Amino acid sequence: MNFLSADDLIYGYMNGIFPMADADGTLYWYSPDPRAIIPLETYKPSKSLRPILNKQQFEIRINADFKAVMQGCALPREDEDSTWISDEIINAYTELHRMGLAHSVETYVNNELVGGLYGVAIGAVFFGESMFHTVSNASKVAFHYLIEILKQQNYDLLDTQFINDNVRRFGAIEIPKSEYIKLLKKGLLKKAHFAETDIRHLYTDPFRKGK
């Protein structure tokens, strides 16, 4: 498969599968078993992250430059020679973003994008895709505010697909694929809105009363 549309993505996510590209750009669909998720109710920022959040050294923006976040995520990592985020994938997710179903959480310093993450939101399920940073802690801060948004907007499920050290540090666990599909179907039946005006206070008060 070498062409990917926004409709393909919607169908895939609603059925528990997602695409990745090989080094030559060929697209394949994946449905791992077990599946990695991050329980929203158990997430807590690390002790080392709390001082950074309190200093508010990053400006947080939502959906301000979705494509730039994807391009940042597509850059090869130090320990990798290639990326699974091809131009075809960037184009399809950008179209999904225009439809209001793909979102980015971005961190800025002096008006410069220095980190962020993106994913897909359908129903009360958020499918996390990738994150990047060019300044230390920028992606961790973006992830913290992603969690705050999902909690505030009553999301049920945060899917992180595969388990690895990066998501494990945020509290990711593995569950059987059959259990994931049950949670997915339940979450898809519920309505949730990713970005609303009433979440702006989250960006300036990371440890508001009651947390």
Side-chain angles (χ1 to χ4, degrees), residues 4 8 13-14 17 29 33 42 53-54 63 65 75 80 95 99 105 117 149 165 181 193 195 199 205 210:
L4 184 66
D8 292 330
Y13 281 109
M14 292 183 70
I17 62 176
W29 291 90
D33 188 5
T42 61
L53 293 169
N54 285 330
N63 294 329
D65 201 342
L75 295 175
E80 301 175 3
E95 179 59 27
M99 296 169 63
V105 181
L117 58 85
I149 291 169
D165 290 340
I181 293 298
H193 299 283
I199 64 175
D205 186 12

Side-chain angles (χ1 to χ4, degrees), residues 84-120:
W84 58 268
I85 304 175
S86 64
D87 289 342
E88 190 77 29
I89 284 179
I90 291 175
N91 290 338
Y93 280 84
T94 300
E95 179 59 27
L96 199 63
H97 170 65
R98 295 191 190 102
M99 296 169 63
L101 295 175
H103 305 279
S104 57
V105 181
E106 308 153 11
T107 45
Y108 290 79
V109 174
N110 296 325
N111 212 37
E112 177 184 353
L113 179 66
V114 295
L117 58 85
Y118 77 96
V120 174

